[in-house]
Amino acid sequence: MPRLREIPRAEVTDEKILFFYDRLFGAGVDPLDPDNRDAQRTIHGTPGDWWTVFAQAPQVFSHAVRGFALYRQASLDPLLRELGQARAGYARGSQFVYSQHCKQMRSLGMPEEKIAALPSWQVSDAFSRLERAVLAYTDALVYDGGRVADEIFAVLKENLSDPEIMELTYITCMYDMHATICRALKLEFDDRAEPIVEVQVPEGVVVADLSADLAGD
C-alpha cells in the first residue's frame, strides 16, 4: 500500500481534485469506499492511488496536472514524446510509468515491434535514427544526469526545432521525476517488494568463509 495516507472523497474540498475523482473513478464515487467493488480502480484499470495520495497537497496536485496539460500545447511529435516517457520509466525502474506509456504509445499507433524493443533499443533495428537519438538522449538525462554527448544532440538538432527539443527535455525529465515519486511512495504498480534482499541458506547449512573458499585457500 502507499506510504502516505490516501484522501477519501469526503475530505476533498478542492474542485480540481473532485473533478479528477469524478472523471477517473466515476461521478460521486469515493475511491476509498470499501463497499464499492471497483474502489480504487480507475477507468484505465490502475489502482488510482497516485491521485488519492497526491490529493494530500492540493497545490502539488494542481501543479502536477498542469504539467499533463502541456501535451495539448506542445509541438513535439507525440510518439517521440512517449518514447522519452516510456524509456524514462524503464530507466528509472518505475513499472507504473513504463507500463502506462507503453499503452499510450500503442494508442497512438506505435508498432508493437518498437514497444517490445524499448528495453533493448541499443541493439534493435526497429527505430529510426531520430528515434534512437531520442532514446539515447533519454538515457543521458536519466542515467547520466543530463550529461549528453554532442553527437546525440547533433541528431536532435538535425531533425527537431529548438522548441521541440525543449519540450522533449522538459517532459522527459518531468516523467523521470514522476517515476521517482511513484517508487519512493509505492504508488500504483510501483507498490512492489524490494527485489534485492539476502537469500537465506537452507536450514542446516553452515556458511563458511566465502572468500577463503573462492580463493582456494
Side-chain angles (χ1 to χ4, degrees), residues 92-118:
R92 185 52 65 200
S94 169
Q95 185 158 280
F96 179 57
V97 172
Y98 175 66
S99 176
Q100 292 306 98
H101 290 279
C102 283
K103 294 176 176 61
Q104 184 66 7
M105 285 191 292
R106 189 172 291 114
S107 73
L108 292 171
M110 180 74 80
E112 289 294 330
E113 179 188 13
K114 291 185 178 181
I115 297 173
L118 196 59

Side-chain angles (χ1 to χ4, degrees), residues 9-21:
R9 184 183 182 90
E11 295 182 23
V12 176
T13 57
D14 185 276
E15 290 299 322
K16 185 177 290 292
I17 297 175
L18 287 172
F19 169 82
F20 279 102
Y21 272 33

Side-chain angles (χ1 to χ4, degrees), residues 25-87:
F25 297 103
V29 171
D30 179 2
L32 302 184
D33 182 357
D35 295 327
N36 182 349
R37 67 189 181 99
D38 294 322
Q40 250 187 303
R41 299 296 294 183
T42 70
I43 58 173
H44 301 293
T46 60
D49 53 38
W50 188 99
W51 304 92
T52 55
V53 167
F54 265 64
Q56 289 276 353
Q59 69 278 18
V60 174
F61 188 106
S62 179
H63 188 275
V65 297
R66 283 201 305 271
F68 303 149
L70 173 63
Y71 296 168
R72 295 197 299 269
Q73 304 161 358
S75 57
L76 180 68
D77 181 341
L79 282 174
L80 295 179
R81 177 195 77 209
E82 292 298 324
L83 269 183
Q85 289 173 290
R87 180 64 191 181

